[in-house]
């Protein structure tokens, strides 16, 4: 069965920034205990006056002491207690990225956004000489384009050559020292169910990373006007991802994201296609040599 893959253009939305207000938790409380005053038993008859005077003094002193203690404790109860500390996980060191987080961090510096007057897409650096691989349909009709690096800097690039039949093109910039080459893997080593990441600029959102698995191998689809086999993945691919890398869990490029099977609305439905890197790399080398 042949799937028709729809390829669409690039938007440039802007998203809001979100600020989370701090939450302070305070706790207050207090109590007091009023001591009881013990009245001494009645003294002998001859010393009633002295005993009465002593009793008055004792009662007065006890009352004053009790009132002072109660007042002090009430004042203590009005003072706010320190903010309650909620249990938090200790911050992890910055060098502790593992799994897909480490994979994304390793590949992102090699991925660029590709901008033309009429369209746009993604690409990735393939060597240290300033060459970037992308899709031919991304730069069709343009001789020069703009590439936006991971740090936001912009460079002018020339279209060094293209293979429309395979839907691949190579760009070249004048300042290769600012580029970070990606590591190319082998698509022949892929298996259905392998975990992969798709990286690019869907709808103009540069540096977007999505994850999924290899859904099928050697899926026949229409690419560049002719039928070609492709890697099928359920990693979210949308307009603007075209030309970006599909990478394995080790961060090696195993495909060039190229097309999606789209519904009438044109959005991602979990079926994307990438040109296997084993086929794309020799074409890129031929374009660079010529």
């Amino acid at each position: 069965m042949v799937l028709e893959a729809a390829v669409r253009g690039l938007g440039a939305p802007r998203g809001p920034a979100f600020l989370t207000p701090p939450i302070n938790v305070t706790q207050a409380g207090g109590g007091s205990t009023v001591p009881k005053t013990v009245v001494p038993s009645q003294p002998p008859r001859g010393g009633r006056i002295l005993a009465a005077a002593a009793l008055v003094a004792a009662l007065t002193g006890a009352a004053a002491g009790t009132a002072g203690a109660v007042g002090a404790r009430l004042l203590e109860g009005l003072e706010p207690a320190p903010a309650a500390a909620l249990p938090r996980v200790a911050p992890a060191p910055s060098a502790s990225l593992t799994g897909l987080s480490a994979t994304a961090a390793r590949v992102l510096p090699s991925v660029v956004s590709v901008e033309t007057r009429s369209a746009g897409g993604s690409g990735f650096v393939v060597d240290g000489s300033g060459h970037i691989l992308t899709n031919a349909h991304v730069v069709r009709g343009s001789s020069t384009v703009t590439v936006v690096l991971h740090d936001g800097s912009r460079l002018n690039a020339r279209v060094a050559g293209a293979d429309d039949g395979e839907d691949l093109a190579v760009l070249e910039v004048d300042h290769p020292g600012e580029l970070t080459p990606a590591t190319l893997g082998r698509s022949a080593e892929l298996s259905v169910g392998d975990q992969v990441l798709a990286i690019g600029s869907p709808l103009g959102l540069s540096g977007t990373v999505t994850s999924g698995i290899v859904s099928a191998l050697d899926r026949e689809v229409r690419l560049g006007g002719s039928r070609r086999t492709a890697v099928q993945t359920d990693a979210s691919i949308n307009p603007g991802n075209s030309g970006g890398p599909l990478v394995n869990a080790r961060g090696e490029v195993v495909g060039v994201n190229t097309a999606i099977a789209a519904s009438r609305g044109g959005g991602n439905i979990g079926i994307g296609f990438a040109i296997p890197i084993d086929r794309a790399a020799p074409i890129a080398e031929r374009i660079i040599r010529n």
Side-chain angles (χ1 to χ4, degrees), residues 78-102:
L78 294 176
E79 295 178 359
L86 299 179
R88 304 292 290 272
V89 176
S94 58
S96 66
L97 290 178
T98 58
L100 295 182
S101 297

Side-chain angles (χ1 to χ4, degrees), residues 168-191:
L168 292 168
V170 174
L171 311 179
E172 186 175 16
V173 301
D174 292 329
H175 305 285
E178 300 182 33
L179 304 180
T180 303
T183 300
L184 304 187
R186 295 189 176 277
S187 52
E189 297 178 357
L190 286 174
S191 299

Side-chain angles (χ1 to χ4, degrees), residues 16-32:
F18 294 90
L19 298 177
T20 302
I23 299 175
N24 296 321
V25 178
T26 59
Q27 185 179 23
S32 60

Side-chain angles (χ1 to χ4, degrees), residues 23 50 52 62 97 144 165 167 177 185 194 218 222 232 238 240 244 279 283 288:
I23 299 175
L50 292 177
L97 290 178
T144 60
D167 197 14
D194 283 352
D218 300 322
R222 185 177 296 278
Q232 180 182 331
N238 284 286
R279 192 167 80 235
I283 295 172
I288 294 171

Side-chain angles (χ1 to χ4, degrees), residues 72-283:
R73 290 178 183 176
L74 288 176
L75 288 175
E76 290 175 0
L78 294 176
E79 295 178 359
L86 299 179
R88 304 292 290 272
V89 176
S94 58
S96 66
L97 290 178
T98 58
L100 295 182
S101 297
T103 301
R106 186 161 55 250
V107 181
L108 275 168
S110 304
V111 182
V112 303
S113 297
V114 180
E115 297 179 354
T116 69
R117 289 184 178 181
S118 58
S122 307
F124 58 96
V125 184
V126 292
D127 62 17
S129 300
H131 294 108
I132 297 168
L133 185 60
T134 187
N135 282 141
H137 75 260
V138 172
V139 296
R140 185 170 291 124
S142 302
S143 58
T144 60
V145 299
T146 300
V147 295
V148 184
L149 306 187
H150 180 58
D151 61 3
S153 57
R154 306 169 70 87
L155 298 175
N156 293 326
R158 299 180 301 278
V159 178
D163 186 323
D164 291 327
E166 294 287 351
D167 197 14
L168 292 168
V170 174
L171 311 179
E172 186 175 16
V173 301
D174 292 329
H175 305 285
E178 300 182 33
L179 304 180
T180 303
T183 300
L184 304 187
R186 295 189 176 277
S187 52
E189 297 178 357
L190 286 174
S191 299
V192 173
D194 283 352
Q195 199 161 31
V196 288
L197 297 179
I199 307 177
S201 305
L203 304 178
L205 302 173
S206 62
T208 295
V209 180
T210 58
S211 68
I213 62 170
V214 174
S215 303
L217 297 170
D218 300 322
R219 182 70 79 192
E220 191 176 85
V221 295
R222 185 177 296 278
L223 299 174
S226 58
R227 291 183 175 89
R228 295 286 187 270
T229 58
V231 178
Q232 180 182 331
T233 178
D234 68 346
S236 182
I237 297 175
N238 284 286
N241 272 116
S242 291
L246 185 74
V247 302
N248 59 21
R250 296 189 297 272
E252 301 163 347
V253 179
V254 293
V256 182
N257 299 320
T258 299
I260 59 175
S263 62
R264 289 185 177 181
N268 174 271
I269 58 173
I271 302 177
F273 304 100
I275 302 171
I277 197 63
D278 289 352
R279 192 167 80 235
I283 295 172

